[in-house]
Amino acid sequence: MNILDKITLDKRKEVELRKSLIPVSQLEYSVLFERQTVSLSNKLRNSKSGIIAEHKRRSPSKSIINNGLNVQDVAIGYENAGVCGMSVLTDGKYFGGSLDDLLTARASCKLPLLRKEFIIDEYQILEAKAYGADVILLIAAILTREEIKQFSEFAKSLNLDVLLEVHNEEELQKSIMPSLDMLGVNNRNLKTFEVSLQTSKSLSTLIPNDFVKVSESGISNIDAIKELQPFGYQGFLIGENFMKTDNPGASATEFIKTLEG
């Protein structure tokens, strides 16, 4: 059983528990449920840098990245840096995140927020909306084509953008459908944890131009972005690079200045 299978198994139990504690009607009555969402895909299309900066305390591959920062400071710092959007990890067991992190980020900035989560149930999409997200992540490796269709169409009905993540050609082929906004290529091999930008390069020609192409994992320097831009990538998800510093906002500011300069 690889790490993704393990996480998914735990996630099913967690979602069942959450559903028993907070009914759907309560989520739909949340103050943020009626909020006008901001499209991340539009922002990426019109940006020179395309940076989606992440709030991430730890990960299964790297253990602790940074436990000492509060989400509010990180969100404000990222917004001031001029990033296109912010990704907020809400998984507790493996990444040390929570839905409260999403809520805090929402109260702290006007950026499009991505709920970075292992979505296996429509309930989590309602949670995303209720806690102030603008975008959800769907991971092709843990979903069937039918689920991708069901979840992405449901998200669109709530005015949420959909970023679908793939790791290889097989996942990409089963996933392409009109209810997606962005196709993300994860450069990390989930079995070995090795990272290679070649994954993004080789899959780029197979992604139709209707979708915003996003590259994820292993983007730690300007060169990586410069290398991927000619392949049509307009979005770059950067997690650990900013979070492992004492001031992610300042780190992102410096990065974007150099990139756009």
Side-chain angles (χ1 to χ4, degrees):
M1 192 188 272
N2 69 23
I3 185 69
L4 202 52
D5 297 334
K6 247 203 217 83
I7 293 173
T8 310
L9 200 64
D10 284 335
K11 194 54 64 181
R12 291 193 189 284
K13 294 177 194 155
E14 183 196 313
V15 172
E16 285 314 309
L17 178 63
R18 295 182 78 88
K19 280 165 118 171
S20 68
L21 295 172
I22 300 176
V24 165
S25 57
Q26 197 174 324
L27 293 174
E28 291 174 338
Y29 282 127
S30 128
V31 177
L32 291 169
F33 208 82
E34 297 306 316
R35 178 185 153 264
Q36 186 70 47
T37 52
V38 187
S39 169
L40 175 61
S41 53
N42 286 348
K43 287 240 178 185
L44 292 175
R45 275 197 180 94
N46 299 305
S47 164
K48 276 198 286 193
S49 70
I51 304 296
I52 306 162
E54 194 152 79
H55 179 269
K56 174 154 86 171
R57 292 188 181 86
R58 56 186 163 89
S59 75
S61 61
K62 288 270 164 71
S63 63
I64 289 174
I65 297 161
N66 197 330
N67 271 340
L69 298 169
N70 73 58
V71 184
Q72 185 180 5
D73 292 344
V74 176
I76 293 168
Y78 281 160
E79 186 167 42
N80 290 340
V83 304
C84 287
M86 178 174 174
S87 163
V88 182
L89 268 138
T90 59
D91 173 79
K93 184 169 181 181
Y94 295 90
F95 291 87
S98 72
L99 276 164
D100 282 347
D101 289 340
L102 187 58
L103 213 49
T104 305
R106 178 73 294 144
S108 313
C109 71
K110 291 187 166 64
L111 291 168
L113 297 181
L114 163 71
R115 180 185 188 189
K116 185 93 173 278
E117 183 54 270
F118 301 84
I119 289 181
I120 40 92
D121 194 298
E122 279 189 1
Y123 182 83
Q124 293 161 289
I125 302 171
L126 286 169
E127 282 182 327
K129 178 80 172 166
Y131 281 80
D134 301 278
V135 195
I136 59 152
L137 173 75
L138 296 177
I139 302 171
I142 62 174
L143 301 170
T144 62
R145 182 173 173 82
E146 288 64 41
E147 287 172 323
I148 293 168
K149 187 174 189 298
Q150 178 197 340
F151 296 160
S152 56
E153 287 177 355
F154 184 59
K156 296 311 293 174
S157 76
L158 297 171
N159 286 324
L160 294 169
D161 262 12
V162 180
L163 167 63
L164 184 109
E165 172 181 305
V166 300
H167 297 85
N168 55 42
E169 185 176 343
E170 185 193 350
E171 290 175 11
L172 179 62
Q173 298 301 2
K174 78 167 182 186
S175 306
I176 292 176
M177 55 186 76
S179 44
L180 309 174
D181 301 285
M182 296 161 279
L183 270 160
V185 178
N186 192 331
N187 300 306
R188 176 172 281 122
N189 180 317
L190 291 171
K191 296 187 173 70
T192 62
F193 281 125
E194 279 169 18
V195 172
S196 165
L197 294 184
Q198 195 48 49
T199 313
S200 280
K201 291 177 186 176
S202 55
L203 291 181
S204 68
T205 53
L206 305 171
I207 301 173
N209 289 332
D210 327 3
F211 306 104
V212 175
K213 298 177 194 179
V214 177
S215 187
E216 311 169 20
S217 292
I219 298 165
S220 55
N221 54 41
I222 307 282
D223 293 347
I225 291 179
K226 297 264 195 232
E227 215 178 298
L228 290 169
Q229 281 173 333
F231 290 85
Y233 285 92
Q234 292 176 292
F236 305 93
L237 184 73
I238 300 184
E240 287 153 28
N241 199 44
F242 301 146
M243 281 302 291
K244 65 187 181 199
T245 66
D246 293 334
N247 188 334
S251 167
T253 302
E254 202 47 51
F255 192 94
I256 290 172
K257 249 192 214 137
T258 313
L259 178 62
E260 291 184 342

